Amino acid sequence: MTDKRSDKVASVSVLFSRGSDAVAAAADATVSSVLVAAEKECVLALPAFVKDRLGLLDAFIAPIVDGVMESVATHADSLSLTACVFSNKLSRNLGVVRGDLISEIVAKTVSAPKAAGDALVVIHLSNASQVLSAALAVARACPIYSKKQKPQSDRTIFVGFEIANPHDSLTEAAIERIQYAADCVREAAMLVDMPPNELNPTTYVDFVRKIWADKLQLHGVTLTVIEGRELEDKGYGGMWNVGKGSQTPPALVILSHTPPKATKAVVWVGKGITFDTGGLSLKISGSMQSMKTDMGGSAGVFDAFVATVLTQTNKSFALHAILCLAENAVSDRSYRVDDIITGYSGKTVEISNTDAEGRLCLMDGVAHACKHLNPDVVIDMATLTGAQAQATGLRHAGIMSNSAELEEIVLTAGKLSGDLAFPLLYAPEFLGVDQVMSSVVADMTNIPSNSKDMTNASSASSGLFVASHMSPEKKWEEGGEGMWCHIDMAFPSKSAGRGTGYGVGLLYCTAEALESKFSTTREVLEEN
């Protein structure tokens, strides 16, 4: 299967299929390395596979089957073969498979920096529900972006899945959807990896325009870009003030896909700060390094939108993606501490710290959604707070929602995709802007008003800041008609100096769940 989505040629192509199909495809290529990995529960399937499919003796795999070793390797006739098992121990806050271990195994073997030639990877799993998560784990281990003087030669990694459960099977349609999702994870990670002298708001818009023109327009997707002074003129005070200090103007990008039978509307809003100096509240002591990744939320939103549309997942709801693109730069035009700005919601914000800029962009994004798109569901995603890691760790994003149902949908989507998440505290009575971000001269400040509230569940209060700009307010309160979720993925968005493509799988699986929910509602209405 070829990459149907992007004209960008990656040095490493990753193609997914069933195990037998992957072996057949690899037989026609010049494969120099083979990796056979099995969940521990499936280890007894390895002897037959390596003997019948790869022509190796049982003795090779015996130390793994006997539990003596977790991996074995051999080299013969320019072919490197590795076989290994990985743990199937999963606590309740992990996913359906140990994707972290799969990524680690692939990164150390067939996707290692010095790896050359085509490769075959076969992963043995217990059931078909694990395949998407395993595939996205492989995708995370195969980055696209590189500016090394001696790049890797073009190569293909053939990835196949063997399922132990005899009642489970992988259809061609399922494989195709997995391929799209995995390609999108790799592309989102590529965007996060791009340096700020290459990816800025203007070049980011150009990138989105090209994907739209090449792939999305054919599916009826519309594209709107509000850019530069037009943002100021139309009242997007958050976006304009954050981005006006840069030589490249800020931009609000709106992608919309409305299928003929759509009865609901879902909006995803992504923070896209292509580089964050902190503004005049300058980041110091090395904390500015890696701030190219501060657009990870928008990358996840964009590529999840692409995957959802191209797989025709959303039939019962219109899907909109809003990308809030800006660079938080330092110049004589930069916005200042003590400025009071007016967001697109009409509410005023006293600036207490220019390094709390992401929420100012998101407030305009969610306000646009509420004013123009009549959403039933709004999900915003951002690399928003350093406190996220203290709240939910390095691998789990922090999420909060006004809806217990939506919170559960997103948590389940995280487990199915491997984009793990855990709830933040939803308590607007204690953490709302009127409680912790009050201002004597404006509707609110952009960070907590006193020092004790800086450590008072600040990731949660930051999410509630965004929610305070949604209208009408009653719709977005707990128990209201609208469902809202905030995803803070500051730390899961990157790992070991690379983007992870976090958010693509999470939102894609969320879209699948929402389609199931809304299609049932639509069918009931049609029957009546």
Side-chain angles (χ1 to χ4, degrees):
M1 181 176 295
T2 57
D3 181 352
K4 301 176 182 179
R5 298 196 39 265
S6 174
D7 292 333
K8 182 178 178 64
V9 178
S11 60
V12 180
S13 298
V14 184
L15 305 180
F16 297 91
S17 63
R18 290 181 288 262
S20 57
D21 295 338
V23 172
D28 296 330
T30 309
V31 170
S32 59
S33 58
V34 176
L35 168 64
V36 181
E39 193 176 29
K40 190 162 288 187
E41 188 175 316
C42 307
V43 69
L44 294 179
L46 289 182
F49 182 86
V50 298
K51 182 179 180 180
D52 297 343
R53 304 283 179 83
L54 302 180
L56 294 172
L57 298 177
D58 291 350
F60 171 70
I61 207 74
I64 291 179
V65 177
D66 295 341
V68 177
M69 302 176 68
E70 291 190 342
S71 67
V72 290
T74 187
H75 300 268
D77 298 327
S78 301
L79 178 68
S80 170
L81 173 63
T82 302
C84 63
V85 295
F86 56 90
S87 174
N88 60 349
K89 185 177 181 180
L90 296 164
S91 65
R92 69 180 186 275
N93 294 318
L94 293 187
V96 294
V97 70
R98 288 295 300 273
D100 59 312
L101 299 180
I102 294 173
S103 292
E104 183 180 327
I105 292 166
V106 172
K108 287 181 177 180
T109 54
V110 298
S111 186
K114 294 184 179 180
D118 294 339
L120 169 65
V121 176
V122 180
I123 302 176
H124 291 253
L125 300 169
S126 301
N127 57 73
S129 70
Q130 300 172 303
V131 173
L132 175 64
S133 184
L136 300 191
V138 173
R140 294 183 197 106
C142 301
I144 295 175
Y145 185 86
S146 176
K147 274 299 176 74
K148 290 184 178 292
Q149 185 180 13
K150 295 180 179 180
Q152 286 183 314
S153 57
D154 290 350
R155 54 194 298 258
T156 299
I157 300 177
F158 301 94
V159 183
F161 299 98
E162 291 284 315
I163 307 301
N165 188 337
H167 303 294
D168 277 351
S169 62
L170 283 177
T171 65
E172 281 297 322
I175 290 292
E176 186 171 21
R177 293 166 76 85
I178 289 166
Q179 183 73 54
Y180 276 123
D183 289 344
C184 286
V185 166
R186 297 184 71 209
E187 184 170 87
M190 179 196 75
L191 288 168
V192 174
D193 285 341
M194 291 178 69
N197 60 321
E198 292 183 21
L199 189 72
N200 58 53
T202 300
T203 57
Y204 202 155
V205 170
D206 291 342
F207 182 88
V208 172
R209 285 189 199 275
K210 177 168 175 52
I211 298 297
W212 171 73
D214 291 350
K215 305 295 180 184
L216 299 176
Q217 192 175 17
L218 298 172
H219 291 264
V221 173
T222 62
L223 172 65
T224 302
V225 179
I226 306 170
E227 196 169 14
R229 284 282 182 184
E230 187 181 2
L231 287 167
E232 180 184 30
D233 295 341
K234 291 186 174 180
Y236 297 87
M239 288 289 306
W240 169 247
N241 278 280
V242 169
K244 69 181 183 180
S246 173
Q247 291 182 334
T248 53
L252 192 74
V253 179
I254 304 102
L255 295 143
S256 296
H257 178 242
T258 305
K261 294 186 178 181
T263 59
K264 300 288 185 177
V266 175
V267 183
W268 296 338
V269 183
K271 171 189 170 185
I273 303 298
T274 58
F275 192 73
D276 181 18
T277 66
L280 294 179
S281 301
L282 192 68
K283 292 181 183 291
I284 56 175
S285 303
S287 61
M288 198 185 301
Q289 188 171 7
S290 83
M291 281 298 101
K292 68 177 185 178
T293 67
D294 211 17
M295 39 59 66
S298 65
V301 163
F302 174 64
D303 272 295
F305 178 89
V306 173
T308 302
V309 170
L310 295 188
T311 56
Q312 301 179 49
T313 297
N314 63 311
K315 297 181 177 68
S316 300
F317 63 91
L319 180 62
H320 309 274
I322 298 177
L323 314 180
C324 306
L325 310 182
E327 180 182 12
N328 190 18
V330 177
S331 74
D332 58 353
R333 301 181 303 277
S334 299
Y335 76 124
R336 298 156 295 223
V337 171
D338 290 341
D339 280 355
I340 295 178
I341 66 176
T342 303
Y344 196 61
S345 66
K347 294 182 179 180
T348 56
V349 182
E350 180 184 8
I351 304 303
S352 298
N353 189 322
T354 63
D355 196 21
E357 83 298 329
R359 65 198 66 183
L360 301 176
C361 295
L362 289 176
M363 75 180 185
D364 281 355
V366 299
H368 179 98
C370 292
K371 285 188 176 184
H372 300 293
L373 301 175
N374 190 27
D376 298 281
V377 178
V378 174
I379 300 177
D380 69 83
M381 187 164 68
T383 51
L384 201 64
T385 65
Q388 176 267 305
Q390 296 172 324
T392 60
L394 300 178
R395 296 181 184 271
H396 290 67
I399 71 166
M400 64 186 310
S401 178
N402 69 331
S403 163
E405 180 186 8
L406 182 59
E407 179 182 280
E408 186 57 35
I409 286 173
V410 175
L411 290 175
T412 301
K415 292 176 180 179
L416 290 173
S417 66
D419 283 345
L420 302 174
F422 192 78
L424 297 169
L425 178 62
Y426 180 79
E429 299 86 350
F430 298 140
L431 302 173
V433 292
D434 57 333
Q435 297 297 314
V436 300
M437 298 185 192
S438 61
S439 168
V440 297
V441 291
D443 292 320
M444 66 195 75
T445 58
N446 71 326
I447 62 170
S449 309
N450 57 65
S451 57
K452 69 180 179 67
D453 282 326
M454 295 296 289
T455 55
N456 182 17
S458 57
S459 290
S461 63
S462 299
L464 289 170
F465 174 95
V466 177
S468 72
H469 292 269
M470 301 175 71
S471 62
E473 291 183 8
K474 289 289 184 183
K475 178 178 180 179
W476 302 105
E477 291 178 352
E478 187 169 23
E481 294 179 2
M483 295 195 297
W484 162 77
C485 183
H486 167 72
I487 303 170
D488 189 340
M489 33 75 85
F491 286 82
S493 66
K494 56 186 181 293
S495 178
R498 283 284 195 177
T500 61
Y502 186 96
V504 176
L506 180 67
L507 292 179
Y508 176 72
C509 288
T510 297
E512 289 188 320
L514 290 174
E515 174 59 28
S516 177
K517 171 183 170 64
F518 293 147
S519 64
T520 301
T521 302
R522 190 192 75 222
E523 289 167 3
V524 170
L525 291 173
E526 289 175 350
E527 288 177 2
N528 295 332

